[in-house]
Amino acid sequence: MVDVSVAKSRRLPVMGDVARLAGVSHMTVSRVLNEPESVRPETRERVLLAIKQLGYRRNSAARSLVTRRSQTLGVVCFDTTLYGPASMLNGIVHATEEAGYAVSVASLRRPTAAAATQAVQRLVHQSVEGLVLIAPQAAEAMAFVRALPTDIPVVAVENALPSVTSVSVDQVLGARMVVDHLLSLGHETVHHVRGPSDWSEANGRVDGWVAALEEHGRLVPRELVGDWSAKSGYVAGQKLARDPRATAVFAANDSMALGVLRALLDAGVRVPEDVSVVGFDDIPEGAFVTPPLTTVSQPFREVGRRSIEILLGEVEGGEERGASSVIPPELVIRASTSIRRP
Amino acid sequence: MVDVSVAKSRRLPVMGDVARLAGVSHMTVSRVLNEPESVRPETRERVLLAIKQLGYRRNSAARSLVTRRSQTLGVVCFDTTLYGPASMLNGIVHATEEAGYAVSVASLRRPTAAAATQAVQRLVHQSVEGLVLIAPQAAEAMAFVRALPTDIPVVAVENALPSVTSVSVDQVLGARMVVDHLLSLGHETVHHVRGPSDWSEANGRVDGWVAALEEHGRLVPRELVGDWSAKSGYVAGQKLARDPRATAVFAANDSMALGVLRALLDAGVRVPEDVSVVGFDDIPEGAFVTPPLTTVSQPFREVGRRSIEILLGEVEGGEERGASSVIPPELVIRASTSIRRP
DNA sequence: ACGCAAGATGTTAGCGTTAACTAGAGCGCC
DNA sequence: GGCGCTCTAGTTAACGCTAACATCTTGCGT
């Protein structure tokens, strides 16, 4: 289909070739492609036919050279193997494609400032028209801000960078919903296994957790720290299993929640009879583990969609700076939480 | 850092500007950037300084126009939310970046031939220099083959397309290892919850399962069909729970295995005491579910690395057609399988 | 029949870079 | 001491496209 070209000459056909075959000037070919309405239907058909016969495709480099537009957005991400970032990337890629832009991805191997700078540079070098950052570590935040070019729009997802428009899920609210849910089940307080301290999402969840407990006048237990992995959740769970006051545990993501679950079960603690456990993210497997996990669902697709919407508003409409936007998450109650039975 | 430019004129600096500031011709600037050795150190320093002062960056469109190289590889993928594809994408992005190429991603919303064609076209339009297909459905296979341009190298991962170089994990071998393991534990036969019939990976696993059973002269039970989701695994698990002859279950991926596990437990079947369950993929959570899941680990990074290696061999070295390559998976034995106790 | 607007198409000149050739300087060699 | 060779830097011409302006048809009013 693509290669119906006469294939005689080695070089790909250019506008001039199409023009010659159609008996028009190369400019008419360009017009057929860019503003078909301005060309007489009869001529247009002839040109279109010639294009098909030669298998002609516009040279995008030449096009962007003269239009000064690359029709490409850049995405900087960290570990897209994690469910959250992967979903986000997915949402962003879809939204970008729908808008007719290409997506160029730069992935940080490690969460260092140098890597962040390098990734941004690489994308800027590719002359992307806008930049999406899905790199939720605060560690690179300043590196990002320094590396960011001033001449192209940027949107950060899940990471409130100073002076950068951001789209994020309301982590604080999500954590509050978890705490409210657990307290309403009669638990005295809620223990927390937090994510790495350089992740803004982890911090938001801690903030919400603390705020909600304090509002209810409850004691805020010392938090445990994980690294998002189920393994780190397991380690935390082992400690929690030894603490009789820990009857409700809020893990900062589902993977860690699974680790906690596992550790508790291994220690002979029943979930949810003895201890309630809640996660965060709503991974697809969450409903099918034992026991099915109560968690907080984040509208990743929506975040992707909205961030691209804002970004393209700035890229195309030339809007000054899109307003940051926060999207509420949703509590999904399943079987890993229950009324406290002392 | 990036914007130390004089910022007086609205337009970005071009080679000519750098040249004027450094007191040389634009060609010398070009040489400093492309073949520094050929410029006298003294001159080179002057040019480098001017570049820094102006914050000059080469225009990549102009560059690719004249060199006819986009320095970009295209990746076509389907659902990058699934662990397997996400890991693969990750591996590919890393390998591509290391090689100094940009990565343009096209994602299929739905696994249809039309979407496949469109995605390939979109990337080709962006003048990518090579194409990686991570779209494991056979459904689009023919669409891909038709849509593929003949003038740029293509590598398929996990999908043996006719006349396309491929890199994949040995699915058949993986399945055999699972069956061998289960039979060695004393199970009479192994039941299988397969993936969608249009995924080549699913088919490979079925083939290996059948082959291994037949080699051992065992009865091949009727297979159950899932869609990779834990939910579909759950449905399959419910059926299996009713079948007293099903003492060993091989689910085609970990998510479905979790669903099976859940269904069995819900039905009062103990795992692994009554029934052994094995998954495939080795998702990070697998070690922390109840019971920890025996599964097959796939070297996704390695697949990504090797596919890019082959692709770039063709792109740069002009090698005719890279040889397809198959990488062995690894059996990870955990606690969801045990000796059959009748 | 003539002028004139509107529509369709053509002509020309870049966009910013690299390829390919040209020119000048310095230097060794017979 | 002049010839040619190497090393460095400059000049010119693409690359394939679109913007902007120029030109040629039409058709219509008077």
Tab-separated table of all heavy atoms in Angstrom, chain B residues 258-289:
chain	number	residue	atom	x	y	z
B	258	LEU	N	-3.514	-14.689	40.004
B	258	LEU	CA	-4.057	-14.128	41.237
B	258	LEU	C	-5.562	-14.308	41.293
B	258	LEU	O	-6.138	-14.607	42.346
B	258	LEU	CB	-3.709	-12.639	41.341
B	258	LEU	CG	-2.225	-12.311	41.507
B	258	LEU	CD1	-2.019	-10.810	41.648
B	258	LEU	CD2	-1.664	-13.050	42.709
B	259	GLY	N	-6.210	-14.122	40.141
B	259	GLY	CA	-7.657	-14.317	40.087
B	259	GLY	C	-8.015	-15.759	40.403
B	259	GLY	O	-8.966	-16.043	41.151
B	260	VAL	N	-7.246	-16.685	39.824
B	260	VAL	CA	-7.483	-18.106	40.072
B	260	VAL	C	-7.336	-18.407	41.572
B	260	VAL	O	-8.198	-19.044	42.189
B	260	VAL	CB	-6.485	-18.973	39.273
B	260	VAL	CG1	-6.538	-20.427	39.730
B	260	VAL	CG2	-6.760	-18.869	37.772
B	261	LEU	N	-6.251	-17.894	42.111
B	261	LEU	CA	-5.958	-18.083	43.529
B	261	LEU	C	-7.152	-17.662	44.371
B	261	LEU	O	-7.630	-18.373	45.264
B	261	LEU	CB	-4.777	-17.171	43.885
B	261	LEU	CG	-3.564	-17.744	44.592
B	261	LEU	CD1	-3.111	-19.017	43.940
B	261	LEU	CD2	-2.429	-16.719	44.583
B	262	ARG	N	-7.605	-16.461	44.084
B	262	ARG	CA	-8.710	-15.869	44.823
B	262	ARG	C	-9.970	-16.733	44.727
B	262	ARG	O	-10.637	-17.018	45.715
B	262	ARG	CB	-8.979	-14.478	44.248
B	262	ARG	CG	-10.120	-13.702	44.849
B	262	ARG	CD	-9.599	-12.664	45.798
B	262	ARG	NE	-9.280	-13.248	47.065
B	262	ARG	CZ	-10.191	-13.526	47.995
B	262	ARG	NH1	-11.459	-13.276	47.787
B	262	ARG	NH2	-9.831	-14.050	49.138
B	263	ALA	N	-10.252	-17.194	43.513
B	263	ALA	CA	-11.460	-17.993	43.306
B	263	ALA	C	-11.363	-19.307	44.081
B	263	ALA	O	-12.327	-19.755	44.710
B	263	ALA	CB	-11.652	-18.269	41.815
B	264	LEU	N	-10.175	-19.914	44.035
B	264	LEU	CA	-9.992	-21.178	44.738
B	264	LEU	C	-10.181	-20.978	46.233
B	264	LEU	O	-10.886	-21.734	46.903
B	264	LEU	CB	-8.597	-21.752	44.453
B	264	LEU	CG	-8.336	-22.189	43.008
B	264	LEU	CD1	-6.888	-22.649	42.841
B	264	LEU	CD2	-9.305	-23.301	42.593
B	265	LEU	N	-9.557	-19.950	46.777
B	265	LEU	CA	-9.667	-19.680	48.199
B	265	LEU	C	-11.118	-19.411	48.572
B	265	LEU	O	-11.619	-19.911	49.578
B	265	LEU	CB	-8.783	-18.490	48.574
B	265	LEU	CG	-7.278	-18.760	48.403
B	265	LEU	CD1	-6.484	-17.466	48.443
B	265	LEU	CD2	-6.796	-19.742	49.466
B	266	ASP	N	-11.793	-18.615	47.729
B	266	ASP	CA	-13.209	-18.332	47.988
B	266	ASP	C	-14.029	-19.612	48.014
B	266	ASP	O	-15.036	-19.705	48.706
B	266	ASP	CB	-13.781	-17.394	46.922
B	266	ASP	CG	-13.340	-15.951	47.147
B	266	ASP	OD1	-12.667	-15.695	48.162
B	266	ASP	OD2	-13.662	-15.097	46.302
B	267	ALA	N	-13.590	-20.591	47.227
B	267	ALA	CA	-14.357	-21.839	47.149
B	267	ALA	C	-13.894	-22.827	48.221
B	267	ALA	O	-14.299	-23.988	48.235
B	267	ALA	CB	-14.191	-22.448	45.756
B	268	GLY	N	-13.007	-22.375	49.075
B	268	GLY	CA	-12.550	-23.247	50.155
B	268	GLY	C	-11.462	-24.215	49.734
B	268	GLY	O	-11.122	-25.153	50.456
B	269	VAL	N	-10.905	-23.976	48.571
B	269	VAL	CA	-9.809	-24.825	48.125
B	269	VAL	C	-8.515	-24.215	48.639
B	269	VAL	O	-8.299	-23.014	48.499
B	269	VAL	CB	-9.773	-24.899	46.588
B	269	VAL	CG1	-8.577	-25.719	46.128
B	269	VAL	CG2	-11.083	-25.461	46.058
B	270	ARG	N	-7.640	-25.029	49.228
B	270	ARG	CA	-6.396	-24.490	49.754
B	270	ARG	C	-5.297	-24.539	48.700
B	270	ARG	O	-5.157	-25.521	47.964
B	270	ARG	CB	-5.962	-25.283	50.994
B	270	ARG	CG	-6.876	-25.086	52.205
B	270	ARG	CD	-6.576	-26.135	53.248
B	270	ARG	NE	-6.650	-27.480	52.649
B	270	ARG	CZ	-6.097	-28.575	53.182
B	270	ARG	NH1	-5.429	-28.483	54.322
B	270	ARG	NH2	-6.201	-29.744	52.587
B	271	VAL	N	-4.508	-23.450	48.639
B	271	VAL	CA	-3.367	-23.396	47.735
B	271	VAL	C	-2.127	-23.204	48.596
B	271	VAL	O	-2.101	-22.306	49.442
B	271	VAL	CB	-3.511	-22.207	46.755
B	271	VAL	CG1	-2.266	-22.106	45.861
B	271	VAL	CG2	-4.769	-22.348	45.899
B	272	PRO	N	-1.113	-24.026	48.472
B	272	PRO	CA	-0.946	-25.092	47.488
B	272	PRO	C	-1.365	-26.484	47.983
B	272	PRO	O	-1.173	-27.445	47.237
B	272	PRO	CB	0.570	-25.071	47.282
B	272	PRO	CG	1.101	-24.763	48.643
B	272	PRO	CD	0.104	-23.827	49.268
B	273	GLU	N	-1.925	-26.598	49.191
B	273	GLU	CA	-2.220	-27.938	49.717
B	273	GLU	C	-3.119	-28.759	48.790
B	273	GLU	O	-2.816	-29.919	48.485
B	273	GLU	CB	-2.853	-27.843	51.101
B	273	GLU	CG	-1.914	-27.321	52.175
B	273	GLU	CD	-1.808	-25.805	52.156
B	273	GLU	OE1	-2.447	-25.165	51.282
B	273	GLU	OE2	-1.074	-25.258	53.007
B	274	ASP	N	-4.229	-28.136	48.334
B	274	ASP	CA	-5.152	-28.880	47.474
B	274	ASP	C	-4.810	-28.707	45.995
B	274	ASP	O	-4.856	-29.639	45.207
B	274	ASP	CB	-6.584	-28.411	47.716
B	274	ASP	CG	-6.983	-28.570	49.189
B	274	ASP	OD1	-6.495	-29.527	49.820
B	274	ASP	OD2	-7.756	-27.732	49.689
B	275	VAL	N	-4.497	-27.473	45.654
B	275	VAL	CA	-4.215	-27.173	44.247
B	275	VAL	C	-2.974	-26.291	44.151
B	275	VAL	O	-2.805	-25.374	44.951
B	275	VAL	CB	-5.410	-26.426	43.603
B	275	VAL	CG1	-5.062	-25.978	42.183
B	275	VAL	CG2	-6.664	-27.309	43.583
B	276	SER	N	-2.122	-26.624	43.193
B	276	SER	CA	-0.958	-25.765	42.932
B	276	SER	C	-1.293	-24.786	41.810
B	276	SER	O	-2.014	-25.134	40.870
B	276	SER	CB	0.243	-26.616	42.512
B	276	SER	OG	0.752	-27.328	43.622
B	277	VAL	N	-0.768	-23.573	41.928
B	277	VAL	CA	-1.031	-22.563	40.901
B	277	VAL	C	0.289	-21.917	40.459
B	277	VAL	O	1.135	-21.594	41.287
B	277	VAL	CB	-1.978	-21.472	41.440
B	277	VAL	CG1	-2.165	-20.359	40.405
B	277	VAL	CG2	-3.332	-22.076	41.822
B	278	VAL	N	0.411	-21.747	39.156
B	278	VAL	CA	1.597	-21.085	38.613
B	278	VAL	C	1.171	-19.955	37.691
B	278	VAL	O	0.168	-20.078	36.977
B	278	VAL	CB	2.474	-22.071	37.814
B	278	VAL	CG1	3.729	-21.366	37.273
B	278	VAL	CG2	2.870	-23.253	38.685
B	279	GLY	N	1.898	-18.871	37.709
B	279	GLY	CA	1.611	-17.742	36.818
B	279	GLY	C	2.695	-17.589	35.769
B	279	GLY	O	3.437	-18.531	35.480
B	280	PHE	N	2.785	-16.404	35.221
B	280	PHE	CA	3.781	-16.132	34.179
B	280	PHE	C	3.990	-14.627	34.130
B	280	PHE	O	3.017	-13.872	34.088
B	280	PHE	CB	3.247	-16.612	32.823
B	280	PHE	CG	4.328	-17.042	31.853
B	280	PHE	CD1	4.506	-18.382	31.556
B	280	PHE	CD2	5.150	-16.099	31.245
B	280	PHE	CE1	5.501	-18.788	30.658
B	280	PHE	CE2	6.140	-16.500	30.350
B	280	PHE	CZ	6.319	-17.847	30.049
B	281	ASP	N	5.221	-14.185	34.172
B	281	ASP	CA	5.613	-12.771	34.054
B	281	ASP	C	6.506	-12.326	35.200
B	281	ASP	O	7.361	-11.489	35.029
B	281	ASP	CB	4.433	-11.790	34.065
B	281	ASP	CG	3.847	-11.576	32.691
B	281	ASP	OD1	4.402	-12.124	31.733
B	281	ASP	OD2	2.824	-10.877	32.596
B	282	ASP	N	6.218	-12.860	36.383
B	282	ASP	CA	6.924	-12.436	37.589
B	282	ASP	C	6.730	-10.965	37.903
B	282	ASP	O	7.693	-10.191	37.955
B	282	ASP	CB	8.423	-12.756	37.479
B	282	ASP	CG	9.115	-12.657	38.842
B	282	ASP	OD1	8.405	-12.712	39.865
B	282	ASP	OD2	10.343	-12.500	38.866
B	283	ILE	N	5.489	-10.570	38.119
B	283	ILE	CA	5.252	-9.190	38.536
B	283	ILE	C	5.833	-9.001	39.930
B	283	ILE	O	5.915	-9.957	40.713
B	283	ILE	CB	3.743	-8.833	38.547
B	283	ILE	CG1	2.952	-9.721	39.523
B	283	ILE	CG2	3.155	-8.961	37.158
B	283	ILE	CD1	1.496	-9.329	39.632
B	284	PRO	N	6.262	-7.787	40.241
B	284	PRO	CA	6.972	-7.553	41.510
B	284	PRO	C	6.132	-7.937	42.730
B	284	PRO	O	6.669	-8.292	43.773
B	284	PRO	CB	7.230	-6.046	41.505
B	284	PRO	CG	6.938	-5.557	40.143
B	284	PRO	CD	6.154	-6.579	39.419
B	285	GLU	N	4.821	-7.853	42.591
B	285	GLU	CA	3.962	-8.162	43.729
B	285	GLU	C	3.836	-9.660	43.967
B	285	GLU	O	3.387	-10.099	45.027
B	285	GLU	CB	2.553	-7.591	43.514
B	285	GLU	CG	2.467	-6.079	43.607
B	285	GLU	CD	2.914	-5.413	42.315
B	285	GLU	OE1	3.074	-6.132	41.299
B	285	GLU	OE2	3.134	-4.188	42.317
B	286	GLY	N	4.232	-10.428	42.962
B	286	GLY	CA	4.015	-11.863	43.013
B	286	GLY	C	4.582	-12.548	44.246
B	286	GLY	O	4.034	-13.534	44.735
B	287	ALA	N	5.684	-12.009	44.747
B	287	ALA	CA	6.326	-12.632	45.902
B	287	ALA	C	5.598	-12.312	47.190
B	287	ALA	O	5.881	-12.887	48.233
B	287	ALA	CB	7.781	-12.170	45.991
B	288	PHE	N	4.658	-11.379	47.119
B	288	PHE	CA	4.042	-10.915	48.354
B	288	PHE	C	2.541	-11.115	48.427
B	288	PHE	O	1.864	-10.513	49.234
B	288	PHE	CB	4.401	-9.448	48.574
B	288	PHE	CG	5.875	-9.279	48.742
B	288	PHE	CD1	6.695	-9.047	47.647
B	288	PHE	CD2	6.454	-9.436	49.987
B	288	PHE	CE1	8.067	-8.947	47.795
B	288	PHE	CE2	7.825	-9.338	50.143
B	288	PHE	CZ	8.641	-9.093	49.049
B	289	VAL	N	2.037	-11.924	47.531
B	289	VAL	CA	0.627	-12.259	47.633
B	289	VAL	C	0.531	-13.540	48.454
B	289	VAL	O	1.545	-14.119	48.842
B	289	VAL	CB	-0.027	-12.442	46.248
B	289	VAL	CG1	0.021	-11.137	45.480
B	289	VAL	CG2	0.658	-13.552	45.480
